[in-house]
């Protein structure tokens, strides 16, 4: 088995043991990719990787899918008329509790529970999530490269903006630029928001046309070599008003306050607090309506919020976003988002695209 995957499986088995478990059924396709190198999107069909003490990891896969070219696990195929859960049961010890993935769908979990009333089930995907949270050297390199591409792409995206263009027209041109720059495509549906639409943090690009005086918010990311980038920049199409400047500078300072604090041992909640305090002191506290950030890697949102309720310390190898925002309904919104990677003695900021207030057009 490839040394990387062997090491990852060993880490997960160690984590499982600490939770009193010897078996885990992994269903999240990205977790399976992390542990085997094989990525399969199974749609409605069952996909599971069974990890069991003293046994080879075994992927249970519908035979309609291409069998992954990996030596990191055995593969057991089933047909559309087979019961994949019967196959899973043969790989598990019914006398031992089975660790389950948070993504194990109820349509599979409930029949599995009914098979043997004596078997106990326990949510245990954090055994994988904790391993995924601490990126190894190859993953750190991939995260850096994806964000470098995102920085380069942002320089191209702002050139697409001109009076009268719609958000959807701009958004529709981004993927080709990512591909030209060597990425696989988007890591999530891009957000392009003009003017008051930027006050909706998850606005979907629509037919709104750009007019002078609008803010232009790009929240964009590419997937490159399987790893995700995610960055937000907010530009001004024409000279900003005093209020726009004040809001922008407040968000920029909030981003900086948290970003410069990141080091091993600092708690996630302290980072959230540092950014939130800047925004509260400027009087915009009620308008920063979301957590400061999220972890990121093979998925754009990975478990472990950067928020007031997460009081664990950050650790070397963790990668997450710092994305404060101020959203003024009916007026405009500003968000500035960067990815950071915690190192052994501090942090690397993975994005270097400028954060200074920038007027375009
Ligand atoms: N694009 C979603 C986010 O920044 O989390
Ligand atoms: Mn984002
Ligand atoms: Mn984000």
């Amino acid at each position: 088995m490839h040394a990387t995957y062997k090491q990852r499986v060993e880490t997960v088995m160690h984590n499982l043991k600490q939770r009193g478990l010897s078996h885990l059924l992994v269903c999240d396709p990205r977790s399976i990719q992390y542990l085997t190198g094989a990525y399969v999107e199974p749609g409605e069909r069952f996909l599971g990787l069974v990890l069991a003490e003293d046994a080879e990891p075994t992927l249970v896969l519908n035979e309609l899918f291409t069998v992954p070219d990996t030596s990191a696990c055995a593969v057991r195929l089933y047909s559309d008329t087979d019961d994949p859960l019967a196959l899973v049961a043969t790989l598990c010890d019914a006398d031992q509790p089975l660790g389950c993935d948070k993504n194990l769908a109820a349509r599979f979990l409930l029949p599995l529970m009914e098979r043997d009333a004596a078997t106990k089930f326990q949510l245990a995907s954090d055994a994988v999530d904790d391993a995924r949270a601490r990126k190894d050297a190859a993953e750190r390199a991939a995260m850096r490269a994806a964000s470098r591409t995102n920085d380069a792409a942002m320089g191209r995206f702002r050139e697409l903006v001109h009076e009268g263009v719609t958000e959807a027209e701009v958004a529709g041109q981004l993927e080709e630029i990512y591909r030209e720059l060597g990425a696989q495509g988007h890591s999530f549906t891009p957000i392009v928001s003009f003017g008051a639409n930027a006050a909706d943090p998850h606005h979907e690009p629509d037919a709104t046309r750009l007019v002078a005086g609008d803010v232009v918010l790009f929240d964009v990311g590419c997937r490159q070599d399987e790893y995700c980038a995610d960055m937000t920049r907010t530009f001004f199409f024409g000279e900003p008003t005093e209020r726009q400047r004040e809001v922008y500078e407040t968000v920029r300072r909030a981003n900086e306050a948290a970003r410069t604090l990141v080091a091993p041992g600092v708690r996630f909640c302290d980072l959230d607090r540092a950014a939130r305090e800047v925004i509260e002191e400027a009087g915009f506290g009620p308008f920063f309506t979301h957590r400061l950030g999220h972890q990121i890697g093979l998925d754009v949102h990975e478990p472990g919020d950067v928020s007031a309720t997460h009081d664990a310390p950050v650790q070397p190898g963790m990668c997450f976003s710092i994305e404060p925002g101020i959203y003024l309904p009916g007026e405009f919104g500003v968000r500035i988002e960067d990815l950071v990677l915690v190192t052994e003695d501090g942090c690397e900021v993975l994005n270097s695209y400028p954060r200074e207030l920038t007027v375009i057009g």
Side-chain angles (χ1 to χ4, degrees), residues 1-325:
M1 192 197 299
H2 190 289
T4 299
Y5 302 120
K6 187 166 186 290
Q7 175 62 54
R8 292 176 183 176
V9 170
E10 276 172 17
T11 302
V12 171
M13 293 311 294
H14 170 82
N15 292 348
L16 268 188
K17 205 166 183 173
Q18 286 193 322
R19 291 157 175 80
L21 290 167
S22 59
H23 291 64
L24 178 65
L25 177 55
V26 185
C27 296
D28 175 351
R30 293 287 174 196
S31 287
I32 292 174
Q33 180 180 29
Y34 173 76
L35 293 168
T36 67
Y39 182 69
V40 180
E41 240 338 312
E44 79 283 12
R45 293 183 169 91
F46 179 83
L47 174 74
L49 179 72
V50 179
L51 300 182
E53 227 170 32
D54 303 323
E56 190 179 10
T58 302
L59 187 67
V60 177
L61 173 72
N62 187 291
E63 65 184 6
L64 292 176
F65 295 90
T66 306
V67 178
D69 180 19
T70 174
S71 61
C73 61
V75 179
R76 299 283 296 272
L77 299 174
Y78 69 89
S79 75
D80 271 350
T81 51
D82 291 336
D83 175 6
L85 302 176
L87 197 43
V88 169
T90 65
L91 298 166
C92 300
D93 180 347
D95 295 332
Q96 297 290 325
L98 178 63
C100 295
D101 194 317
K102 60 185 179 301
N103 289 2
L104 177 56
R107 67 183 182 281
F108 301 128
L109 175 59
L110 294 174
L112 206 50
M113 293 173 88
E114 281 162 12
R115 288 186 71 84
D116 189 336
T119 304
K120 293 199 164 42
F121 294 82
Q122 189 175 318
L123 185 62
S125 40
D126 57 353
V128 187
D129 295 339
D130 288 357
R132 282 178 59 178
R134 290 188 300 276
K135 273 64 182 170
D136 60 29
E139 294 183 289
R140 294 182 195 194
M143 291 302 298
R144 288 186 194 104
S147 278
R148 268 199 304 276
T149 298
N150 212 20
D151 283 341
M154 188 65 82
R156 303 263 307 266
F157 295 167
R158 56 174 278 185
E159 301 296 329
L160 303 173
V161 169
H162 58 84
E163 182 136 27
V165 73
T166 70
E167 294 168 344
E169 284 165 355
V170 173
Q173 298 175 73
L174 309 186
E175 187 154 24
E176 194 180 333
I177 292 174
Y178 275 140
R179 289 186 196 281
E180 281 173 26
L181 293 171
Q184 292 160 256
H186 294 297
S187 54
F188 59 92
T189 306
I191 299 172
V192 179
S193 316
F194 298 160
N197 290 345
D200 170 7
H202 282 157
H203 176 70
E204 286 181 27
D206 62 21
T208 302
R209 291 190 186 281
L210 185 64
V211 296
D214 277 351
V215 301
V216 176
L217 184 151
F218 284 99
D219 183 349
V220 290
C222 56
R223 183 181 290 281
Q224 181 170 311
D225 291 334
E226 303 299 331
Y227 282 80
C228 297
D230 182 11
M231 171 173 63
T232 307
R233 289 294 181 267
T234 308
F235 301 105
F236 291 90
F237 188 64
E239 272 305 312
T241 63
E242 268 317 301
R243 183 167 164 82
Q244 286 175 330
R245 266 184 199 282
E246 183 191 2
V247 167
Y248 187 89
E249 288 304 329
T250 302
V251 174
R252 195 185 57 72
R253 286 190 295 109
N255 170 296
E256 185 174 289
R259 192 166 28 84
T260 54
L261 201 62
V262 179
V266 175
R267 298 178 306 170
F268 285 100
C269 57
D270 297 330
L271 300 173
D272 184 275
R273 180 95 301 273
R276 208 165 292 278
E277 233 159 56
V278 171
I279 291 175
E280 285 170 358
E281 279 167 12
F284 294 108
F287 304 103
F288 177 17
T289 47
H290 54 72
R291 64 187 177 187
L292 180 63
H294 53 86
Q295 299 197 50
I296 182 167
L298 287 167
D299 280 305
V300 73
H301 286 182
E302 297 195 345
D305 286 357
V306 189
S307 77
T309 57
H310 187 190
D311 60 7
V314 309
Q315 298 176 41
M318 288 183 166
C319 192
F320 50 86
S321 67
I322 300 282
E323 49 181 304

